[in-house]
């Protein structure tokens, strides 16, 4: 049975597309939203994840306003924030940012918050923030240098991608693994299902 509900994913993240595909869901349209992701002064990482995911969903809603093709669509957005205490680590674009993040994460625990926002066809807004605790091993100089050379840190919150080489850095993880990848599947499907989206429609073709 093919998926019949229209789903807009307000993200261009290949990881989120892959995670939804893993669950048998294919977004009808990808709409990456370019919003200011700068944390506010003293903003808690959880609050930032919630604010950015909601902002992206609402920006996508504004972008389709008046388009009858998407009048009955669901809009899904997510944003992932990595923090050590209240310190928010950036989505690393420069190698020095990634190096600094890896040195900070080495041998200690950090938290990954993903805000998930769903706007329903009747334009109700549903939100969740999922929290996972991750502990890294103590990284050697070689670990960090070779990881930086791999390029897998580029554009990643906290300077690493758990689904790649950095998965070997993880000593302990408490909570949702898919949350750390970028989209907590259990909670996301629960949100969709709770609002009438048929999450099982594509399972026969998955």
């Amino acid at each position: 049975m093919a998926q019949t509900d229209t789903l807009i994913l307000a993200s261009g993240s290949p990881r989120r597309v892959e995670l939804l595909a893993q669950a048998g869901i294919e977004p009808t349209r990808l709409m990456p939203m370019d919003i200011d992701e700068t944390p506010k002064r003293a903003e808690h990482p959880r609050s930032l994840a919630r604010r950015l995911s909601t902002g992206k969903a609402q920006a996508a809603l504004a972008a389709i306003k008046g388009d009858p093709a998407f009048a009955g669509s669901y809009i899904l957005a997510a944003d992932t924030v990595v923090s050590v205490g209240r310190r928010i680590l950036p989505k690393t674009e420069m190698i020095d940012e990634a190096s600094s993040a890896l040195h900070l994460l080495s041998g200690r625990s950090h938290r990954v918050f993903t805000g998930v926002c769903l706007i329903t066809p009747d334009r109700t807004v549903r939100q969740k923030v999922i929290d996972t605790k991750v502990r890294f091993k103590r990284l050697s100089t070689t670990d960090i240098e070779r990881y930086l050379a791999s390029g897998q840190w580029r554009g990643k919150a906290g300077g690493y991608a758990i689904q790649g080489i950095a998965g070997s850095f993880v000593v302990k993880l408490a909570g949702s693994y898919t949350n750390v990848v970028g989209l907590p599947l259990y909670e996301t499907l629960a949100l969709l299902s709770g609002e009438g989206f048929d999450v099982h429609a594509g399972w026969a073709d998955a």
Side-chain angles (χ1 to χ4, degrees), residues 39-58:
K40 295 180 179 179
R41 183 177 177 84
E43 187 170 24
H44 191 280
R46 178 185 294 274
S47 299
L48 177 63
R50 179 183 292 109
R51 178 171 65 83
L52 294 182
S53 60
T54 303
K56 290 175 181 178
Q58 291 175 336

Side-chain angles (χ1 to χ4, degrees), residues 5-23:
D5 294 311
T6 302
L7 176 65
I8 294 172
L9 180 61
S11 172
S13 166
R15 300 179 302 283
R16 294 189 178 117
V17 173
E18 289 166 4
L19 285 167
L20 286 173
Q22 179 182 325

Side-chain angles (χ1 to χ4, degrees), residues 68-186:
F70 297 103
S73 61
Y74 292 82
I75 300 172
L76 180 67
D79 197 88
T80 301
V81 174
V82 175
S83 69
V84 175
R86 291 182 66 97
R87 179 174 174 179
I88 296 168
L89 278 62
K91 291 179 180 175
T92 52
E93 299 295 345
M94 305 297 290
I95 197 166
D96 58 336
E97 292 177 323
S99 177
S100 177
L102 291 169
H103 279 94
L104 181 63
L105 296 176
S106 175
R108 67 194 303 176
S109 295
H110 61 277
R111 296 174 80 172
V112 180
F113 298 91
T114 299
V116 180
C117 181
L118 177 69
I119 299 180
T120 69
D122 67 4
R123 300 318 177 211
T124 300
V125 178
R126 301 293 188 208
Q127 301 166 298
K128 282 191 175 185
V129 179
I130 311 306
D131 175 8
T132 302
K133 188 175 182 180
V134 183
R135 183 174 182 83
F136 268 17
K137 71 171 186 174
R138 187 167 298 281
L139 302 175
S140 68
T141 299
T142 301
D143 286 333
I144 293 174
E145 289 179 348
R146 295 292 175 85
Y147 188 70
L148 292 173
S150 78
Q152 291 188 8
W153 52 269
R154 201 175 301 277
K156 305 298 192 299
Y160 75 95
I162 196 171
Q163 69 274 22
I165 296 167
S168 66
F169 300 162
V170 177
V171 174
K172 186 176 181 181
L173 185 149
S176 167
Y177 170 81
T178 55
N179 180 51
V180 185
V181 180
L183 187 70
L185 276 184
Y186 166 73

